[in-house]
Amino acid sequence: MIREFSPASKTFIWGIPGGNIEERHGNVLDNAKRELAEEVGLCGGEWISLLDEGCSLLQDKYQQDRLHIFLCLDPHVGPMELEHDVEELIEVDRNVEIAEVKARIRTGEIQANNVAGCLLAMEKLREMGHLQ
């Protein structure tokens, strides 16, 4: 998980790596891989889409932004983290227990649009036998 500064609330909030799709970085999956490398320094691994093929989630009713949610299993630490965007102040926590994720959701510490990704990832990990 990452903890980053939210200019709107002027606080730090927990979430999962993510960003906008930039055509210069390729397709949706290529962009997701770049964000994981940029924000937490992880590369490779097995990538699984957590939404049905061709689907995305509307971020909220006021924006056209759509969420594409992936789970990356067994990534490795890259040779170096890519440079963060200037406005990003990010703290990385790579060892968060599921109980802690659930607690952060219940206490409102996780950005709302990231809750769907957390819940879908937990469901997929449970299906795969990685969680009870």
Side-chain angles (χ1 to χ4, degrees):
M1 295 196 82
I2 60 173
R3 187 171 178 257
E4 63 184 321
F5 185 71
S6 167
S9 65
K10 296 182 177 47
T11 61
F12 283 85
I13 54 174
W14 287 101
I16 53 180
N20 293 321
I21 297 170
E22 297 180 41
E23 287 185 23
R24 66 188 171 116
H25 295 309
N27 62 27
V28 172
L29 180 57
D30 290 338
N31 275 267
K33 289 177 179 181
R34 180 172 177 78
E35 285 296 328
L36 188 66
E38 179 183 303
E39 294 187 354
V40 298
L42 296 174
C43 304
E46 176 186 357
W47 285 78
I48 301 166
S49 177
L50 296 177
L51 299 174
D52 291 344
E53 188 175 334
C55 293
S56 59
L57 299 175
L58 191 60
Q59 182 155 322
D60 66 39
K61 66 182 183 178
Y62 299 105
Q63 299 179 20
Q64 292 297 315
D65 293 348
R66 301 200 69 88
L67 304 176
H68 301 269
I69 305 171
F70 295 93
L71 174 64
C72 180
L73 299 174
D74 299 320
H76 62 273
V77 176
M80 63 178 195
E81 289 185 27
L82 299 175
E83 191 172 313
H84 294 296
D85 293 333
V86 175
E87 73 279 0
E88 292 182 316
L89 301 171
I90 297 175
E91 170 190 331
V92 178
D93 186 349
R94 293 186 182 145
N95 298 303
V96 181
E97 297 289 330
I98 294 298
E100 181 64 22
V101 173
K102 290 178 180 179
R104 289 176 182 172
I105 290 171
R106 285 192 306 275
T107 59
E109 295 177 68
I110 295 180
Q111 189 174 328
N113 62 354
N114 284 223
V115 171
C118 291
L119 295 175
L120 289 169
M122 286 187 274
E123 177 183 44
K124 178 55 88 175
L125 290 169
R126 194 171 291 108
E127 282 176 19
M128 297 174 76
H130 296 294
L131 292 178
Q132 294 285 324

